[in-house]
Amino acid sequence: MLSRLNRKLFSVFHSWKLGKDVIVFFDFEYDTITKAKAAGVTLGRAECNAHTKVFCECVTEKGYKAGIYSNIDYYRNMFDHELLDKYVFWLADWSGE
């Protein structure tokens, strides 16, 4: 899976002519789980972290900076903070608190 994703990412990055200074973010959120459930796939905390890790490893393997985008709920309840510490982290807090 990693090599297939890696090839796909490189193809997309190359076609978009992305510079190595671009941060490529991974966004795992409510819609991700909802769409997976509709396809008969159950995603939870472990899968969130596993998919995020694989994506970020593929991005960095190609020489780009990887980032993780998360809402406050997923930051608190889904993501391992050790994983978040390894990459650029963008926290979206729509609560206004």
Side-chain angles (χ1 to χ4, degrees):
M1 179 172 100
L2 185 60
S3 63
R4 187 175 66 206
L5 176 61
N6 209 332
R7 285 191 305 271
K8 180 63 176 171
L9 284 175
F10 181 71
S11 172
V12 170
F13 295 170
H14 184 71
S15 70
W16 289 349
K17 298 179 179 17
L18 293 182
K20 298 288 181 167
D21 59 330
V22 171
I23 303 170
V24 182
F25 284 88
F26 186 75
D27 182 11
F28 187 103
E29 54 183 79
Y30 303 118
D31 279 351
T32 310
I33 292 176
T34 301
K35 289 176 183 176
K37 187 175 183 179
V41 177
T42 301
L43 299 176
R45 181 180 169 91
E47 293 79 15
C48 171
N49 287 287
H51 287 269
T52 302
K53 182 180 180 204
V54 166
F55 178 86
C56 290
E57 287 173 352
C58 286
V59 169
T60 57
E61 200 173 277
K62 289 297 179 190
Y64 295 89
K65 287 185 180 180
I68 301 166
Y69 174 88
S70 174
N71 62 45
I72 194 78
D73 178 32
Y74 276 35
Y75 170 75
R76 291 179 179 151
N77 300 303
M78 293 290 275
F79 282 107
D80 291 333
H81 291 193
E82 297 81 27
L83 178 62
L84 298 178
D85 290 342
K86 292 181 181 180
Y87 303 101
V88 175
F89 180 60
W90 178 2
L91 178 62
D93 182 3
W94 300 103
S95 70
E97 296 175 14

